[in-house]
Amino acid sequence: MNFQISSLKEYQETYKKSIENPSEFWDEVASHFYWREKWEKTFEYDWSIPETKWFIGGKLNITENCLDRHLETRGDQTAIIWEPNNPKDTVIHVTYKQLHSKVCQFANVLKNNGVVKGDRVCIYMPMVLELSIAVLACARIGAVHSVVFAGFSSTALAARINDAECKILLTADGGFRGDKITPLKDIADEALKTCPSIQKSIVYQRTKQNVFWNNKIDVWWHDELRKVDDNCPAEVMDSEDMLFILYTSGSTGKPKGMVHTCGGYMVYATYSFQNVFQYKQGDVYWCTADIGWITGHSYIVYGPLASGATTVMFEGVPSYPDFGRFWEVCEKHKVNQFYTAPTAIRALAKHPTELVNKYDLSSLKVLGTVGEPINEEAWHWYDDNVGKNKCPIVDTWWQTETGGMMISSLAGVTNDKPTFATLPLPGIQPVLLDNNGEEITKQKAEGILAIKHPWPSLARTIYGNHERYKNVYFSAYPNHYFPGDGALRDENGNYRITGRVDDVVIVSGHNLGTAPIENAINEHEKVVESAVVGFPHDIKGNALCAYVITYDNVDESTDLINEIKQIVSDFIGPIAKPDKIIFVSGLPKTRSGKIMRRILRKIASNDVTNLGDISTLLNPNVVEEIINSFK
């Protein structure tokens, strides 16, 4: 399969075609996949409902595209390299033939335990190879997988199981994460006390710790495998059948179960993977995300495997056994494309560059970032120290809701630009809107980002709550998908994401976006990262509070506070100077790297009575520390 764009001229021609004749364009892309029955109509949509359908009438199974069709041509090629948490443990290489066998075998385990097409299966597992097998096994038989990140609490797990009314839970005795063990079975058992829909809990043995056993529902993964063979024909799915539900944080704190469907998601995840990363056969690609996030779904499992790629799956963390682990793995597996989060890059940049330089990174061809906009200082650190100024950096903007990357440079094909996501992928039509919802037509502008035409991998609904889906994404600006972000566009059409639109604070009558203020603060040589929020003020209406992380051994003095205020004044103006500057060791973030400003606003406003379930955060302990810093 080769639909890769190879030059800037070809990108411009392809993009033009994709906008002027989207049906013809997407028909051509989709023709590269294996379909049981061809679609009758490419797409139809009505964003007043809202409803979107792609490849209507088409029949397929995504696992036949990820596995079966590769067996003759690359059956003995490595599909997944599994890198364990502890570098001293054994690395596992799984070929496409082996992965096909394992997926079919576990699909039969699911069927043996009563799972049928349309059933929801909750997966709460560490980053072991069996997690990817479980995801594909669900897809093989038409079950809907709902992966819950293995760092979430029992409360968060129960909420997601109950919302999706899952029939089966797949979990493990525990999971290794750095030098800690997460007691997954204990957490799952606590959750299941309030989850009446669960009929069976299939437990993978990873840590071999003692666990409570409920003979009514618990069965061991390895015991179940002994009962089945690896012959499992793929269920024929309609293009618009549900493939998975994935929960994303809502601004109200109630998670949203985004529904993705089989055909359009497969086509777009694969197309975007191949073009953004410019993957070539024989390359080794590594996305450091967890499969509990959309990044892991689209760009560890489905996109790479449908492309016949070799994809690395990493159980560990970037800091274990030391902060050189990422680079040690890159050297060990001769990684060609490396995709991680700005949060990780900034954390690694705090440590000596010797931890990077001691490893041979000459295999790297492409670097990528995902999860949030990357600030300029981190971009240059990444470029200088990891890419050695020879690797294009793809700064990808997308969301759980979009299913795939929407705005990004194509590595080495279109130009990258520090802090800019740059240009839309073919088929994606971004616009900037003013506060009245009118499209801003001049090239160089700043406004509200929206998308004015559907694309194949758009989430179809919020599971069980279509009205919320309509209200969140399609009501603010009719006939547009509204992602909630603001953006600016430069004279060459490059887009830079400026932050959430709701991260605008009115101070003394002035609308102040928090992202530009954060960018200014981050320019200070002693600052690693910052987050700015508004809080009520008797005179101004609102004032600004900046939470600031500094480099190690920095004197967090009054002089530094004044320097930070001055840099904001110089970059933006005196009106944007924060009233409060709080030095912290970390910021409350989702596991995908997004700062939870809702929590920071509450703390700055001295309202800590209802912060929601903070156990789902990457670093829940930092919340208490920030609260204490105000006392």
Side-chain angles (χ1 to χ4, degrees):
M1 181 196 321
N2 187 8
F3 36 52
Q4 270 184 25
I5 295 165
S6 57
S7 68
L8 180 58
K9 182 173 184 288
E10 188 183 352
Y11 163 78
Q12 292 165 340
E13 291 170 351
T14 303
Y15 187 78
K16 186 171 185 287
K17 177 183 178 180
S18 75
I19 302 309
E20 293 178 351
N21 196 336
S23 291
E24 184 181 316
F25 170 75
W26 287 113
D27 279 354
E28 167 60 23
V29 173
S31 70
H32 289 271
F33 295 83
Y34 172 65
W35 297 80
R36 292 290 193 97
E37 293 179 28
K38 192 176 188 298
W39 56 98
E40 298 154 8
K41 187 177 181 182
T42 313
F43 67 89
E44 62 184 29
Y45 72 103
D46 182 343
W47 276 1
S48 66
I49 298 176
E51 183 176 81
T52 308
K53 294 179 180 179
W54 280 85
F55 309 113
I56 299 159
K59 307 294 183 188
L60 75 151
N61 187 288
I62 196 169
T63 69
E64 290 187 319
N65 285 275
C66 290
L67 301 171
D68 302 63
R69 68 174 171 153
H70 301 315
L71 296 181
E72 281 190 26
T73 55
R74 57 174 65 88
D76 295 325
Q77 177 199 310
T78 298
I80 298 175
I81 299 171
W82 180 73
E83 172 70 28
N85 175 69
N86 189 328
K88 296 177 182 177
D89 290 346
T90 304
V91 172
I92 298 174
H93 290 73
V94 180
T95 67
Y96 273 94
K97 278 182 185 171
Q98 291 168 333
L99 185 60
H100 177 267
S101 172
K102 289 174 182 293
V103 167
C104 289
Q105 190 179 14
F106 194 70
N108 284 334
V109 167
L110 293 174
K111 290 201 289 188
N112 223 23
N113 281 276
V115 179
V116 297
K117 179 179 177 179
D119 282 345
R120 275 79 61 210
V121 175
C122 180
I123 306 176
Y124 182 65
M125 295 182 69
M127 277 287 283
V128 289
L129 181 64
E130 285 70 17
L131 170 53
S132 58
I133 291 167
V135 162
L136 292 162
C138 289
R140 186 80 177 177
I141 63 173
V144 179
H145 59 77
S146 175
V147 184
V148 177
F149 175 69
F152 278 4
S153 69
S154 59
T155 304
L157 175 61
R160 287 155 175 78
I161 289 172
N162 289 330
D163 188 74
E165 298 176 298
C166 295
K167 185 175 186 178
I168 299 279
L169 173 66
L170 309 179
T171 189
D173 51 356
F176 295 111
R177 191 168 178 83
D179 59 359
K180 296 182 176 64
I181 291 179
T182 306
L184 296 177
K185 177 73 164 59
D186 293 348
I187 296 167
D189 287 343
E190 184 63 30
L192 293 188
K193 291 177 181 177
T194 57
C195 298
S197 64
I198 293 292
Q199 297 177 13
K200 280 281 178 70
S201 174
I202 303 176
V203 185
Y204 177 72
Q205 192 173 47
R206 173 66 182 125
T207 56
K208 295 182 167 60
Q209 65 204 77
N210 290 326
V211 290
F212 171 79
W213 204 252
N214 180 348
N215 288 316
K216 291 181 180 177
I217 65 166
D218 291 338
V219 292
W220 283 113
W221 192 292
H222 53 270
D223 287 342
E224 295 304 299
L225 286 175
R226 295 190 187 105
K227 302 174 184 177
V228 295
D229 61 23
D230 65 353
N231 179 26
C232 181
E235 184 77 28
V236 179
M237 306 294 286
D238 185 86
S239 181
E240 282 297 313
D241 278 343
M242 265 197 292
L243 175 62
F244 64 85
I245 302 168
L246 187 59
Y247 286 86
T248 183
S249 299
S251 58
T252 62
K254 179 176 169 54
K256 298 171 291 191
M258 307 312 302
V259 172
H260 285 283
T261 53
C262 294
Y265 173 81
M266 173 187 72
V267 169
Y268 193 79
T270 312
Y271 180 79
S272 54
F273 168 76
Q274 288 197 20
N275 276 290
V276 169
F277 294 110
Q278 290 291 298
Y279 183 88
K280 301 292 190 287
Q281 287 306 313
D283 285 349
V284 175
Y285 159 84
W286 181 21
C287 169
T288 70
D290 192 285
I291 293 174
W293 311 117
I294 189 65
T295 309
H297 282 56
S298 298
Y299 301 120
I300 295 178
V301 180
Y302 288 117
L305 293 179
S307 299
T310 296
T311 177
V312 177
M313 186 176 169
F314 179 50
E315 184 185 29
V317 293
S319 58
Y320 180 79
D322 61 39
F323 281 90
R325 184 67 191 283
F326 273 0
W327 323 125
E328 182 261 332
V329 173
C330 285
E331 178 185 81
K332 182 194 297 186
H333 300 302
K334 295 183 170 54
V335 170
N336 302 115
Q337 294 89 5
F338 177 73
Y339 191 35
T340 196
T343 302
I345 297 165
R346 283 192 290 265
L348 295 168
K350 290 182 68 173
H351 297 274
T353 52
E354 296 88 80
L355 288 167
V356 187
N357 296 332
K358 66 189 283 191
Y359 296 105
D360 178 6
L361 301 182
S362 59
S363 63
L364 289 173
K365 298 193 292 188
V366 177
L367 302 178
T369 73
V370 59
E372 58 177 319
I374 185 169
N375 58 299
E376 189 156 359
E377 187 178 8
W379 193 99
H380 285 296
W381 184 91
Y382 199 25
D383 185 37
D384 294 343
N385 296 289
V386 181
K388 315 297 183 188
N389 305 121
K390 68 178 181 65
C391 297
I393 297 176
V394 293
D395 177 359
T396 61
W397 175 80
W398 60 297
Q399 303 172 306
T400 305
E401 295 88 338
T402 70
M405 299 176 282
M406 302 284 282
I407 303 176
S408 172
S409 55
L410 311 185
V413 174
T414 61
N415 296 324
D416 52 29
K417 182 177 180 179
T419 76
F420 280 74
T422 69
L423 299 172
L425 269 67
I428 305 304
Q429 299 186 40
V431 293
L432 295 180
L433 306 177
D434 62 22
N435 290 333
N436 297 317
E438 299 296 321
E439 186 175 337
I440 302 169
T441 55
K442 65 179 181 179
Q443 178 82 314
K444 190 174 182 180
E446 184 169 359
I448 296 157
L449 183 64
I451 314 293
K452 68 177 181 181
H453 191 279
W455 60 98
S457 63
L458 171 66
R460 302 302 194 250
T461 190
I462 293 173
Y463 187 76
N465 196 341
H466 194 70
E467 190 63 26
R468 186 182 184 195
Y469 175 75
K470 179 179 181 178
N471 290 339
V472 172
Y473 303 107
F474 295 94
S475 294
Y477 304 101
N479 298 314
H480 291 85
Y481 168 79
F482 171 51
D485 285 330
L488 60 83
R489 186 170 55 214
D490 73 7
E491 61 279 2
N492 297 314
N494 292 305
Y495 286 85
R496 176 181 180 175
I497 308 304
T498 55
R500 303 294 295 172
V501 172
D502 56 12
D503 292 331
V504 173
V505 184
I506 301 174
V507 178
S508 300
H510 297 267
N511 282 14
L512 298 175
T514 58
I517 302 170
E518 292 166 5
N519 288 334
I521 294 172
N522 295 347
E523 285 299 308
H524 195 290
E525 61 182 8
K526 295 179 180 177
V527 172
V528 176
E529 190 175 7
S530 63
V532 174
V533 298
F535 65 95
H537 190 279
D538 290 342
I539 298 170
K540 299 178 182 179
N542 289 287
L544 297 173
C545 175
Y547 298 89
V548 177
I549 303 172
T550 62
Y551 285 96
D552 293 341
N553 304 316
V554 166
D555 181 16
E556 296 170 346
S557 62
T558 303
D559 287 344
L560 181 55
I561 290 173
N562 291 333
E563 287 173 18
I564 291 171
K565 289 184 177 182
Q566 188 59 47
I567 204 169
V568 171
S569 182
D570 292 344
F571 271 69
I572 300 168
I575 190 68
K577 286 194 293 188
D579 279 45
K580 297 178 184 176
I581 293 179
I582 309 296
F583 294 111
V584 295
S585 66
L587 296 167
K589 294 184 177 183
T590 66
R591 300 281 176 170
S592 59
K594 290 184 174 62
I595 298 168
M596 290 299 286
R597 288 178 174 81
R598 173 174 58 84
I599 291 173
L600 294 177
R601 280 193 287 268
K602 280 182 167 287
I603 296 172
S605 304
N606 197 28
D607 176 16
V608 294
T609 53
N610 184 21
L611 297 178
D613 180 14
I614 64 171
S615 69
T616 61
L617 297 175
L618 176 67
N619 47 355
N621 294 338
V622 81
V623 174
E624 190 64 33
E625 178 206 316
I626 295 172
I627 291 171
N628 291 334
S629 69
F630 274 83
K631 293 178 180 176

